[in-house]
Amino acid sequence: MERLLSSVLKLAGVTKAYGTLNALDGIDLSLPNDSYVSLLGPSGSGKTTLLRVIAGFEQPDLGTVVFKGQRIETVPPHRRDIGFVFQNFALFPHLSVSRNIAFGLENRVENPVTDPAIVQARVKDMIALVGLSGLEDRGVAQISGGQRQRVALARTLVTEPSLVLLDEPLGALDANLRARMRSELRLIRERCGVTFLHVTGSESEALAMGDMVLVLDSGRIAQAADADTIYNRPKSLAVAGFLNCYNLFEGRLAGESFLGPYGAFPLGDQMQFRDDRTGYAIRYDRVAIRPAEAPVADDEVKLEATFVADEYSGAAINSFFSLDDGRVFEVESHLSQSMPPACAPQSRYALVWKRRDALVYA
Ligand code: ADP
Ligand code: MG
């Protein structure tokens, strides 16, 4: 049988103003069932406001919110069947792991579970699901940050919501733990089959975790697509900028060239997107570093710059160059592909890329 509802949540024209500021400015979106959705946007772009409107802590000024086929704009938060995991976890510090998880189940307004045997069984399942077996009776002050994050998640999941909203859930964890929790969160979601809407300010987190990625810019959805599309084909200069992996130039198109602050970049059969601004983008890892005097092929573009510094990060080296006006140009070399030449600080190099690897916006 065909599934009647392929999307769990649909927003149309959702607008929310604070004074004269439109924190949300006509949001249209549709979240698929049983999927991991990342919501990426810079600070102040409206991510938390959007979650609060979906959860019911804020009312939209305009627009509709349809959840499992029903309008819910006026339904109070506790009757929405939507779970919320906050950035700071908000656990009860004096209660144990088990008691924190049981609390939501015993005290919810709709269908509280009062039979202690049922509560205990559900809490036990949940503790196993999030990988906290053995820590049931620990106080939440006696466990690590990553474990507290799991308690917060378990406390939400135990109530069996149809949608879970997570507001920068890994923001308070250190880098190692954050990387580990990314795959944990994906696994936990797969096991319980509910849609997660995960807010993050980190482009790598959004791309690594989301089956679908929503990019928010000044209260509007700038792009909604799978991670691969967002990464390879950001549809505007703004989105390319948020991804932090493209060198961007603004300028104008003139004949077969892009004219920017560093002269003419010849165009080839690159992808072109409609945008209010005219610009040119080349991804950090599409650029080769060559000696300044090296020849370039017909299908290549060359830009000369001064080497500043390298930064190693496991599988890649990021090299920073200074352009003639002092702007930084970044090159990322994946060590599995090619070792970049050892560059001498203050020396000139040619940065070279294929014409077809550029993205043009106009
Ligand atoms: P994000 O979570 O992406 O950082 P927010 O949704 O918190 O962004 O905020 C979006 C914009 O709305 C910001 O400019 C913020 O200052 C403003 N804002 C958020 N909440 C309120 C509020 N309760 N009152 C006034 N302005 C608010
Ligand atoms: Mg926020």
Short mmCIF file of all heavy atoms in Angstrom, two decimals, residues 16-19 21-24 41-50 52 58 167-168 199 216, ligand 1:
data_model
loop_
_atom_site.label_atom_id
_atom_site.label_comp_id
_atom_site.label_asym_id
_atom_site.label_seq_id
_atom_site.Cartn_x
_atom_site.Cartn_y
_atom_site.Cartn_z
N LYS A 16 7.45 34.99 11.15
CA LYS A 16 7.45 35.35 12.56
C LYS A 16 8.33 36.59 12.72
O LYS A 16 9.51 36.56 12.39
CB LYS A 16 8.02 34.19 13.41
CG LYS A 16 8.19 34.50 14.87
CD LYS A 16 6.86 34.47 15.58
CE LYS A 16 6.94 35.09 16.96
NZ LYS A 16 5.60 35.19 17.57
N ALA A 17 7.74 37.68 13.19
CA ALA A 17 8.50 38.92 13.37
C ALA A 17 8.70 39.20 14.85
O ALA A 17 7.83 38.89 15.67
CB ALA A 17 7.77 40.08 12.71
N TYR A 18 9.85 39.75 15.19
CA TYR A 18 10.08 40.34 16.52
C TYR A 18 10.27 41.82 16.26
O TYR A 18 11.31 42.22 15.71
CB TYR A 18 11.33 39.76 17.18
CG TYR A 18 11.23 38.29 17.51
CD1 TYR A 18 12.00 37.35 16.86
CD2 TYR A 18 10.33 37.85 18.49
CE1 TYR A 18 11.91 36.01 17.18
CE2 TYR A 18 10.23 36.50 18.81
CZ TYR A 18 11.02 35.58 18.15
OH TYR A 18 10.93 34.25 18.46
N GLY A 19 9.28 42.64 16.59
CA GLY A 19 9.35 44.06 16.23
C GLY A 19 9.39 44.17 14.72
O GLY A 19 8.55 43.61 14.03
N LEU A 21 11.90 43.06 12.89
CA LEU A 21 12.76 42.03 12.32
C LEU A 21 11.98 40.77 11.98
O LEU A 21 11.32 40.20 12.86
CB LEU A 21 13.86 41.68 13.34
CG LEU A 21 14.74 40.49 12.95
CD1 LEU A 21 15.95 40.96 12.18
CD2 LEU A 21 15.13 39.69 14.17
N ASN A 22 12.04 40.34 10.72
CA ASN A 22 11.41 39.08 10.36
C ASN A 22 12.38 37.94 10.65
O ASN A 22 13.26 37.64 9.86
CB ASN A 22 11.04 39.05 8.87
CG ASN A 22 9.70 39.71 8.60
OD1 ASN A 22 8.96 40.05 9.55
ND2 ASN A 22 9.37 39.89 7.35
N ALA A 23 12.23 37.33 11.83
CA ALA A 23 13.11 36.21 12.19
C ALA A 23 12.85 35.04 11.25
O ALA A 23 13.76 34.31 10.89
CB ALA A 23 12.88 35.81 13.64
N LEU A 24 11.58 34.85 10.86
CA LEU A 24 11.22 33.87 9.83
C LEU A 24 10.44 34.63 8.76
O LEU A 24 9.52 35.38 9.08
CB LEU A 24 10.36 32.74 10.41
CG LEU A 24 10.99 31.93 11.53
CD1 LEU A 24 10.01 30.88 12.05
CD2 LEU A 24 12.29 31.26 11.07
N GLY A 41 22.54 27.06 9.30
CA GLY A 41 22.43 28.50 9.06
C GLY A 41 23.33 29.22 10.03
O GLY A 41 23.62 28.71 11.11
N PRO A 42 23.79 30.42 9.65
CA PRO A 42 24.65 31.18 10.57
C PRO A 42 23.85 31.63 11.80
O PRO A 42 22.62 31.56 11.80
CB PRO A 42 25.10 32.37 9.73
CG PRO A 42 24.12 32.49 8.62
CD PRO A 42 23.54 31.13 8.40
N SER A 43 24.57 32.06 12.80
CA SER A 43 23.94 32.55 14.02
C SER A 43 22.99 33.71 13.67
O SER A 43 23.34 34.57 12.88
CB SER A 43 25.06 33.01 14.96
OG SER A 43 24.49 33.55 16.11
N GLY A 44 21.79 33.68 14.22
CA GLY A 44 20.83 34.75 13.96
C GLY A 44 19.99 34.54 12.72
O GLY A 44 19.14 35.37 12.39
N SER A 45 20.16 33.42 12.02
CA SER A 45 19.41 33.21 10.77
C SER A 45 17.97 32.74 11.03
O SER A 45 17.18 32.67 10.10
CB SER A 45 20.14 32.21 9.87
OG SER A 45 20.32 30.98 10.53
N GLY A 46 17.66 32.38 12.29
CA GLY A 46 16.28 32.01 12.61
C GLY A 46 16.09 30.53 12.93
O GLY A 46 14.95 30.06 13.04
N LYS A 47 17.17 29.80 13.12
CA LYS A 47 17.07 28.34 13.34
C LYS A 47 16.27 28.00 14.59
O LYS A 47 15.34 27.19 14.55
CB LYS A 47 18.49 27.72 13.45
CG LYS A 47 19.37 27.97 12.24
CD LYS A 47 20.73 27.30 12.38
CE LYS A 47 21.58 27.77 13.55
NZ LYS A 47 22.00 29.19 13.46
N THR A 48 16.64 28.64 15.71
CA THR A 48 15.94 28.34 16.96
C THR A 48 14.48 28.79 16.87
O THR A 48 13.57 28.08 17.32
CB THR A 48 16.65 29.01 18.15
OG1 THR A 48 17.95 28.41 18.27
CG2 THR A 48 15.89 28.82 19.46
N THR A 49 14.25 29.94 16.27
CA THR A 49 12.87 30.43 16.12
C THR A 49 12.04 29.42 15.32
O THR A 49 10.89 29.12 15.67
CB THR A 49 12.86 31.81 15.42
OG1 THR A 49 13.70 32.69 16.15
CG2 THR A 49 11.45 32.38 15.33
N LEU A 50 12.62 28.88 14.27
CA LEU A 50 11.90 27.90 13.46
C LEU A 50 11.55 26.66 14.29
O LEU A 50 10.41 26.18 14.26
CB LEU A 50 12.75 27.52 12.23
CG LEU A 50 12.14 26.50 11.27
CD1 LEU A 50 10.79 26.99 10.75
CD2 LEU A 50 13.08 26.23 10.10
N ARG A 52 11.19 26.56 17.51
CA ARG A 52 10.21 26.95 18.53
C ARG A 52 8.80 27.07 17.94
O ARG A 52 7.82 26.75 18.61
CB ARG A 52 10.65 28.25 19.22
CG ARG A 52 11.89 28.04 20.11
CD ARG A 52 12.38 29.35 20.74
NE ARG A 52 11.33 29.98 21.55
CZ ARG A 52 11.03 29.65 22.79
NH1 ARG A 52 11.70 28.68 23.39
NH2 ARG A 52 10.06 30.27 23.43
N GLU A 58 6.27 29.15 20.10
CA GLU A 58 5.98 30.44 19.47
C GLU A 58 4.87 30.21 18.45
O GLU A 58 4.80 29.15 17.84
CB GLU A 58 7.19 30.97 18.69
CG GLU A 58 8.44 31.20 19.49
CD GLU A 58 8.45 32.53 20.21
OE1 GLU A 58 7.47 33.31 20.07
OE2 GLU A 58 9.44 32.77 20.93
N ASP A 167 18.19 21.14 18.93
CA ASP A 167 18.80 22.46 18.72
C ASP A 167 20.27 22.42 19.09
O ASP A 167 20.60 22.42 20.27
CB ASP A 167 18.06 23.52 19.52
CG ASP A 167 18.39 24.94 19.02
OD1 ASP A 167 19.24 25.06 18.11
OD2 ASP A 167 17.80 25.90 19.54
N GLU A 168 21.15 22.39 18.11
CA GLU A 168 22.60 22.31 18.31
C GLU A 168 22.95 21.30 19.41
O GLU A 168 23.62 21.63 20.37
CB GLU A 168 23.16 23.71 18.63
CG GLU A 168 22.68 24.74 17.60
CD GLU A 168 23.64 25.88 17.35
OE1 GLU A 168 24.83 25.73 17.60
OE2 GLU A 168 23.17 26.92 16.85
N VAL A 199 19.35 21.03 14.21
CA VAL A 199 19.88 22.36 13.93
C VAL A 199 21.37 22.41 14.23
O VAL A 199 21.81 21.95 15.28
CB VAL A 199 19.17 23.41 14.81
CG1 VAL A 199 19.98 24.69 14.90
CG2 VAL A 199 17.78 23.70 14.26
N LEU A 216 19.31 27.82 5.97
CA LEU A 216 18.52 28.99 6.35
C LEU A 216 19.38 30.23 6.25
O LEU A 216 20.53 30.24 6.73
CB LEU A 216 18.02 28.79 7.80
CG LEU A 216 16.83 29.59 8.26
CD1 LEU A 216 15.59 29.30 7.42
CD2 LEU A 216 16.53 29.30 9.72
P1 ADP B 1 19.61 31.26 15.40
O1 ADP B 1 19.06 30.18 16.26
O2 ADP B 1 19.74 30.88 13.95
O3 ADP B 1 20.92 31.81 15.91
P2 ADP B 1 17.31 32.78 16.32
O4 ADP B 1 16.15 32.06 15.80
O5 ADP B 1 17.65 32.59 17.75
O6 ADP B 1 18.59 32.48 15.39
O7 ADP B 1 17.10 34.33 16.09
C1 ADP B 1 16.74 34.87 14.84
C2 ADP B 1 16.64 36.38 14.98
O8 ADP B 1 15.52 36.70 15.80
C3 ADP B 1 17.84 37.02 15.64
O9 ADP B 1 18.08 38.25 15.03
C4 ADP B 1 17.40 37.18 17.07
O10 ADP B 1 18.07 38.26 17.67
C5 ADP B 1 15.91 37.44 16.94
N1 ADP B 1 15.15 36.94 18.08
C6 ADP B 1 15.03 35.63 18.46
N2 ADP B 1 14.22 35.49 19.53
C7 ADP B 1 13.82 36.74 19.85
C8 ADP B 1 12.94 37.28 20.87
N3 ADP B 1 12.33 36.49 21.75
N4 ADP B 1 12.76 38.62 20.88
C9 ADP B 1 13.35 39.43 19.97
N5 ADP B 1 14.17 38.98 18.99
C10 ADP B 1 14.40 37.67 18.92
#
